[in-house]
Amino acid sequence: MSIKIEQLSFYYGQGTPFETKALVDITMEIKRGDFVGIIGQTGSGKSTLIQHFNGLILPEAGTVYIDGTNIKDKKVKLKLIRQKVGLVFQYPEYQLFEETVFKDVAYGPINLALDELEVERRVKYALELVGFDYSSVKDKSPFDLSGGQKRRVAIAGVLAMKPDYLVLDEPTAGLDPSGRNKLLNTIKKLHENNITIILVSHSMEDIARLADYIYVMYQGRIHMQGTPHEIYKDSEELKRIGLGVPQVVDIMKALKARGMNVDTDKLTIEGATEEILRVLRSKKDA
Amino acid sequence: MDPIIKISNVSFQYSQEEKNALNGVSLDIQPGEFVAILGHNGSGKSTLAKLINSLLLPTEGEIIVKGMNTKNDDMLWNIRQTAGMVFQNPDNQLVATIVEEDVAFGPENQGVDPVEIRKRVDDSLKAVDMYEYRKRPPHLLSGGQKQRIAIAGVLAMNSECIILDEPTAMLDPSGRKEVLQTIKKLNHDENKTVLLITHFMDEAVQADRVIVMDGGKIQMEGTPKEVFVNIDLIKKFGLDVPQVTELAHNLINEGIMMPRDIIKIEELVDAICQ
Ligand SMILES: Nc1ncnc2c1ncn2[C@@H]1O[C@H](COP(=O)(O)OP(=O)(O)OP(=O)(O)O)[C@@H](O)[C@H]1O
Ligand SMILES: Nc1ncnc2c1ncn2[C@@H]1O[C@H](COP(=O)(O)OP(=O)(O)OP(=O)(O)O)[C@@H](O)[C@H]1O
Ligand SMILES: [Mg+2]
Ligand SMILES: [Mg+2]
């Protein structure tokens, strides 16, 4: 069971003056249970790629299989694919359209023809998961919320569908630090509950902390792939292609450059704290 | 010197809402200052920005932008020219069908000479690395590319004061650095006043002054060091400190001696490798 992509290429506006080669020969497989991070500079093709994961864009060249089914197969019901693979768009707040938060989040479950009680349970589950107090937010108009609050309502709408694969395109952009941490913890919890996570993010810190495996996109291609430790080793190359490393990596490298004998391969603050303490204390003992 | 923006005891209530979005905010911004505004989602940052730009009018109190009261209808265009704004969502800002027309929109409205407009548009697009996209329709761009165009739009207005509402939220790490450098250059070389609303603490540490909002009020105010030294308070307001500050405090808690107000990598390295 997986999302499997074979030799996928995609052009926007083929034959027009704005023809853009957005994806070039992408092959990858994301297995059930994975936590995958996708990073890449602005315009590198991330959003285009993930819209292929649930059939929002159908492949022109190449093939997409969801749990073994070719999504271009005539018998495939895209509605079922979209329930299986939930996609939270970049700027999802633009998809909000109902007059209350409740109706907006309920839209998907109602479309699945669930009964009223189950719809309500799911809406409550999803809104609480993204950190809202259910009763105080459900009757508000989504248009009267702040930017970050809208974002969370939009994410709840996808969570209410209870997808097997959850694809999130920059879900924490515009969230305040505590909202960001809460959402990332929620995503982590969902992963522990066997939901496969595909996270697109410009935050190197978040990707380093959460993902088990990273794909690095550059000019429409998969430019690098590997575990966070493998990827963030090559900070020069990452900087060259518009990315960077978590601030802790820069800190460890700066310490090393000043002659401190630290292992620079630390991606989290906790890891860095321990490593610096280890070196400082061993110096004292010596 | 007179403040370029003078906010006096301003409250604001959206119609139909029970609670005020802003509650008695007073704040003076000096010409040439670089101020970062932080605060959790819904704390009132965008509302404050829209009030300065005269998109909203105070329910109580008043705002004076370079001597002009934002309630004075006749001054609307002058106010918006003095305080140019990049909105939180670029899609709400991009109006034209071609990128370069969009960037030209502001200066055209100001009645700037066409030759000068051409130059400003080209310079602004180059400053955000989007010159090669100038003939494209904005809706055919990626999220981060749209955000860059919105920034170019305000650069082309050449306003004395620039208000940016989360301009880097969708940018890649290099893009964020470049935009910050552009902002700092305008502030430093051309003495432009900058108001930067952001959720990135590493951007806030580069400002002259940091304002923290909560519940529609200003709750903390000071230099980045003065503000970020209060880790517990910052976290109570739903915010965070830069990773380097967090790391320094972890080390302090483990008994390592160093200053409590470390906010930059060099400071930490100096403290450890002295
Ligand atoms: N509707 C469209 N029509 C034409 N070109 C497009 C369209 N949408 C995106 N593009 C172009 O395709 C390329 C890939 O865009 P995509 O949105 O996938 O990038 P991204 O990696 O998600 O970027 P970001 O980090 O800015 O969101 C870009 O060069 C972009 O300009
Ligand atoms: N158009 C509106 N109508 C009614 N209430 C609104 C409107 N816009 C914002 N609010 C409310 O006003 C308060 C302040 O919102 P504001 O947009 O200023 O917050 P913010 O600090 O910019 O948040 P964010 O970080 O999410 O952008 C919030 O409680 C929000 O729900
Ligand atoms: Mg994108
Ligand atoms: Mg806002």
Side-chain angles (χ1 to χ4, degrees):
Chain A
M1 302 255 263
S2 67
I3 296 178
K4 194 169 167 196
I5 312 277
E6 279 177 354
Q7 295 181 315
L8 179 69
S9 295
F10 184 79
Y11 288 80
Y12 283 107
Q14 211 158 12
T16 74
F18 304 120
E19 181 172 298
T20 307
K21 195 158 67 170
L23 295 176
V24 188
D25 199 18
I26 305 273
T27 294
M28 66 197 305
E29 182 169 15
I30 298 167
K31 296 211 176 72
R32 281 270 181 119
D34 285 355
F35 195 133
V36 168
I38 301 181
I39 57 179
Q41 72 179 162
T42 277
S44 60
K46 304 178 298 295
S47 298
T48 308
L49 174 64
I50 60 163
Q51 288 176 60
H52 282 85
F53 290 175
N54 77 342
L56 214 65
I57 303 180
L58 288 173
E60 285 167 4
T63 324
V64 175
Y65 300 95
I66 307 295
D67 290 345
T69 321
N70 180 341
I71 66 167
K72 275 188 100 172
D73 196 321
K74 290 224 162 41
K75 282 171 292 189
V76 166
K77 290 206 174 68
L78 280 176
K79 194 169 144 184
L80 295 183
I81 295 280
R82 288 185 193 148
Q83 185 199 341
K84 203 180 267 239
V85 184
L87 180 61
V88 178
F89 290 92
Q90 198 169 3
Y91 293 120
E93 45 275 30
Y94 290 125
Q95 263 88 44
L96 302 175
F97 63 97
E98 294 280 4
E99 69 223 38
T100 68
V101 166
F102 181 93
K103 284 189 186 168
D104 226 300
V105 179
Y107 180 81
I110 287 173
N111 255 330
L112 295 177
L114 300 171
D115 67 58
E116 219 172 294
L117 216 71
E118 176 63 13
V119 169
E120 193 182 330
R121 268 182 39 208
R122 290 217 183 173
V123 173
K124 185 162 186 284
Y125 153 87
L127 282 170
E128 285 176 350
L129 213 49
V130 297
F132 280 114
D133 177 48
Y134 173 68
S135 55
S136 61
V137 81
K138 72 181 170 58
D139 298 320
K140 286 207 172 187
S141 159
F143 302 101
D144 291 350
L145 300 174
S146 79
Q149 292 165 336
K150 282 184 194 158
R151 169 71 45 85
R152 288 191 274 146
V153 171
I155 293 173
V158 174
L159 290 177
M161 306 279 283
K162 299 209 167 169
D164 298 320
Y165 299 90
L166 181 61
V167 189
L168 304 119
D169 198 352
E170 299 284 356
T172 60
L175 293 194
D176 58 55
S178 95
R180 178 188 200 101
N181 277 334
K182 278 187 204 141
L183 181 63
L184 291 174
N185 285 336
T186 303
I187 293 172
K188 217 165 112 190
K189 233 187 300 159
L190 292 168
H191 181 239
E192 284 158 11
N193 285 308
N194 290 322
I195 296 181
T196 308
I197 307 286
I198 298 145
L199 177 63
V200 176
S201 178
H202 284 310
S203 166
M204 302 299 126
E205 284 79 11
D206 296 349
I207 293 283
R209 184 151 69 94
L210 292 170
D212 299 321
Y213 199 78
I214 300 174
Y215 289 96
V216 183
M217 306 273 300
Y218 181 59
Q219 298 185 341
R221 296 173 193 270
I222 295 177
H223 185 69
M224 297 158 84
Q225 54 180 295
T227 64
H229 285 281
E230 288 164 359
I231 296 296
Y232 288 115
K233 239 183 215 139
D234 202 351
S235 56
E236 289 315 306
E237 178 60 7
L238 289 171
K239 283 175 189 167
R240 187 186 73 81
I241 60 170
L243 301 175
V245 292
Q247 196 185 37
V248 270
V249 176
D250 280 332
I251 297 172
M252 298 309 270
K253 291 204 164 150
L255 286 170
K256 183 119 192 168
R258 279 281 289 269
M260 189 178 186
N261 193 17
V262 285
D263 175 4
T264 56
D265 187 21
K266 299 291 167 206
L267 299 178
T268 59
I269 296 178
E270 298 73 43
T273 307
E274 267 174 40
E275 176 62 10
I276 294 171
L277 285 174
R278 185 188 67 78
V279 175
L280 287 176
R281 287 180 176 152
S282 71
K283 241 197 293 190
K284 235 203 257 148
D285 295 344
Chain B
M1 218 184 317
D2 281 339
I4 186 164
I5 298 171
K6 190 167 180 56
I7 301 169
S8 311
N9 212 0
V10 164
S11 296
F12 182 81
Q13 187 173 22
Y14 286 98
S15 55
Q16 296 163 4
E17 293 292 308
E18 292 155 30
K19 276 187 17 201
N20 280 355
L22 289 183
N23 269 310
V25 172
S26 293
L27 176 67
D28 285 355
I29 311 270
Q30 301 303 329
E33 229 191 327
F34 175 8
V35 177
I37 302 183
L38 307 177
H40 65 76
N41 292 135
S43 58
K45 305 179 298 295
S46 298
T47 305
L48 184 63
K50 288 177 189 158
L51 282 158
I52 296 172
N53 207 246
S54 196
L55 279 162
L56 300 173
L57 296 176
T59 315
E60 273 171 56
E62 61 178 22
I63 300 183
I64 309 289
V65 177
K66 212 185 166 199
M68 300 173 279
N69 192 318
T70 59
K71 284 179 183 157
N72 185 347
D73 244 358
D74 300 335
M75 289 295 163
L76 193 64
W77 286 108
N78 282 334
I79 289 170
R80 293 198 184 147
Q81 175 172 351
T82 306
M85 177 151 154
V86 180
F87 291 90
Q88 188 161 1
N89 286 321
D91 282 342
N92 294 344
Q93 177 142 16
L94 305 181
V95 285
T97 50
I98 305 280
V99 162
E100 61 180 9
E101 285 172 9
D102 208 287
V103 178
F105 185 78
E108 265 166 13
N109 266 317
Q110 297 167 1
V112 174
D113 164 67
V115 181
E116 168 71 10
I117 292 182
R118 181 75 254 168
K119 184 173 169 328
R120 284 201 203 166
V121 168
D122 291 351
D123 289 350
S124 313
L125 283 170
K126 283 175 190 160
V128 297
D129 227 357
M130 287 298 291
Y131 183 67
E132 57 182 303
Y133 291 86
R134 66 192 177 282
K135 299 285 181 199
R136 289 251 198 146
H139 69 274
L140 299 189
L141 296 174
S142 77
Q145 289 167 337
K146 283 183 198 165
Q147 201 155 33
R148 285 167 184 247
I149 302 301
I151 295 168
V154 81
L155 296 182
M157 285 172 66
N158 197 21
S159 319
E160 282 178 66
C161 173
I162 306 175
I163 305 171
L164 304 114
D165 195 352
E166 301 190 33
T168 62
M170 287 290 174
L171 296 188
D172 56 53
S174 301
R176 280 217 294 130
K177 278 210 185 94
E178 284 162 21
V179 166
L180 248 286
Q181 268 161 15
T182 306
I183 293 172
K184 279 170 74 178
K185 204 163 141 238
L186 288 171
N187 175 249
H188 190 264
D189 299 355
E190 299 179 32
N191 205 35
K192 304 253 191 235
T193 311
V194 176
L195 229 70
L196 174 69
I197 297 173
T198 184
H199 288 301
F200 293 108
M201 304 303 133
D202 56 335
E203 294 179 359
V205 301
Q206 304 187 46
D208 301 323
R209 183 153 60 122
V210 174
I211 309 277
V212 175
M213 301 198 50
D214 186 76
K217 291 196 176 113
I218 293 177
Q219 301 284 5
M220 297 171 80
E221 179 178 353
T223 62
K225 274 188 184 295
E226 287 165 356
V227 167
F228 287 119
V229 75
N230 299 301
I231 290 203
D232 294 337
L233 199 54
I234 285 271
K235 292 198 171 170
K236 195 188 116 205
F237 291 130
L239 303 177
D240 211 339
V241 295
Q243 282 203 323
V244 63
T245 308
E246 178 104 43
L247 182 53
H249 278 246
N250 283 351
L251 295 172
I252 291 170
N253 289 341
E254 291 290 335
I256 308 293
M257 303 278 275
M258 65 174 74
R260 298 190 70 84
D261 61 356
I262 284 176
I263 53 172
K264 296 199 170 149
I265 294 181
E266 312 85 72
E267 296 168 0
L268 180 74
V269 173
D270 283 344
I272 293 179
C273 304
Q274 43 181 295

